[in-house]
Amino acid sequence: MEDPAPSPTPLLARRRRTYVGRDRALITAGYVGSFFAIGVCLASLGPLLPELASKTGRTLPELSFLFVARSIGYVLGSLLGGVIFDRVDVTHAPLVVGNLLCALGCATLPSLSALPSLAAAISTQGACMGLLDTGGNVLLIWLQGPTRVEPYMQAMHAAFAIGAVASPLFIEWALTELRSFAPAFYSIAAFLALCSLPLATYRGPLAPAEDAAARGGGGGDGVKDRGEREAAGRRCAVRALVCGSALCLLFAV
């Protein structure tokens, strides 16, 4: 008679592809916090335009191009996110990278004074927000399951709305009380980095069919499929980097 299999250690438990209890709650909190930060970032540009106009010496109509730059980035990030999350094995990796790049954009924005650099930073931030938007919705469904995801999905989008409402108030408070919008954006960057911590701890959920195959062993074909999926994900990441670099060069010109 064989000895029973040992219970998984915490490290191995964090590498499971199906999460329950505290693990699932922490991951869900990371998704909700990321969507709150997306709402804050998305609504921050409008109240910031007069300050950016004063800092860059440009008129408000000239700075309205920044909305176009961010929208282009958002569309590209959403499209690439749909491809990337379907092909990577560590599904939290793109989400963490998007969070950190968006945080980097928030942290560097107060120091930029040239319109091309502002457009590049804001378009990159938009691409990260599009990636987070697509990935957050998909991964939450994979995490919670289609039969119990509804309240968590509503909570995540409610957090987005709360962030969008709070952002102009927060920036106005910083401008009035602190005489600068920089502390507000540093705080947003810190919050985005904080939301990445629970996501970086876990590999991330898989699509339900893939998760069932992983629990069943999958055999050699499963390993081969995962390897092909990871390779395709790396190729998509390289394409996303190339597209982002080309977009930045376009705005710089």
Side-chain angles (χ1 to χ4, degrees):
M1 181 176 178
E2 297 182 356
D3 295 333
S7 59
T9 63
L11 178 60
L12 293 177
R14 289 182 176 184
R15 291 185 176 180
R16 292 175 304 177
R17 312 324 302 268
T18 300
Y19 302 98
V20 296
R22 184 186 65 179
D23 295 339
R24 184 162 57 191
L26 286 173
I27 295 173
T28 303
Y31 295 162
V32 173
S34 297
F35 262 63
F36 175 83
I38 293 175
V40 171
C41 293
L42 197 63
S44 64
L45 185 56
L48 203 60
L49 280 184
E51 292 296 318
L52 293 178
S54 175
K55 189 172 184 179
T56 60
R58 303 290 186 123
T59 63
L60 290 179
E62 288 177 320
L63 288 180
S64 63
F65 172 71
L66 295 176
F67 289 100
V68 179
R70 186 179 64 181
S71 298
I72 292 174
Y74 203 105
V75 171
L76 288 176
S78 300
L79 292 175
L80 290 172
V83 177
I84 290 173
F85 283 101
D86 195 41
R87 285 167 168 78
V88 296
D89 185 62
V90 183
T91 52
H92 276 174
L95 215 60
V96 171
V97 171
N99 263 337
L100 295 179
L101 285 178
C102 196
L104 181 63
C106 289
T108 58
L109 193 62
S111 63
L112 301 177
S113 57
L115 184 58
S117 58
L118 278 172
I122 290 176
S123 63
T124 302
Q125 191 182 58
C128 295
M129 288 191 289
L131 180 72
L132 293 171
D133 192 357
T134 300
N137 283 286
V138 171
L139 294 183
L140 184 65
I141 296 174
W142 292 353
L143 175 70
Q144 298 290 347
T147 60
R148 67 190 305 271
V149 72
E150 290 89 350
Y152 301 99
M153 185 70 72
Q154 297 295 335
M156 189 170 70
H157 286 274
F160 173 88
I162 293 171
V165 171
S167 179
L169 302 176
F170 184 43
I171 292 175
E172 180 62 25
W173 172 83
L175 291 173
T176 303
E177 299 296 330
L178 304 177
R179 305 297 180 183
S180 173
F181 64 87
F185 275 81
Y186 295 152
S187 300
I188 297 170
F191 184 78
L192 277 164
L194 182 64
C195 291
S196 301
L197 291 179
L199 304 181
T201 309
Y202 302 91
R203 293 169 63 86
L206 290 173
E210 297 172 356
D211 189 41
R215 290 197 303 269
D221 292 338
V223 174
K224 181 180 179 181
D225 291 341
R226 287 195 296 273
E228 292 176 351
R229 188 169 59 249
E230 289 179 353
R234 287 192 292 269
R235 289 194 296 270
C236 289
V238 171
R239 294 188 190 113
L241 181 60
V242 171
C243 291
S245 301
L247 190 63
C248 292
L249 290 175
L250 175 63
F251 288 131
V253 173

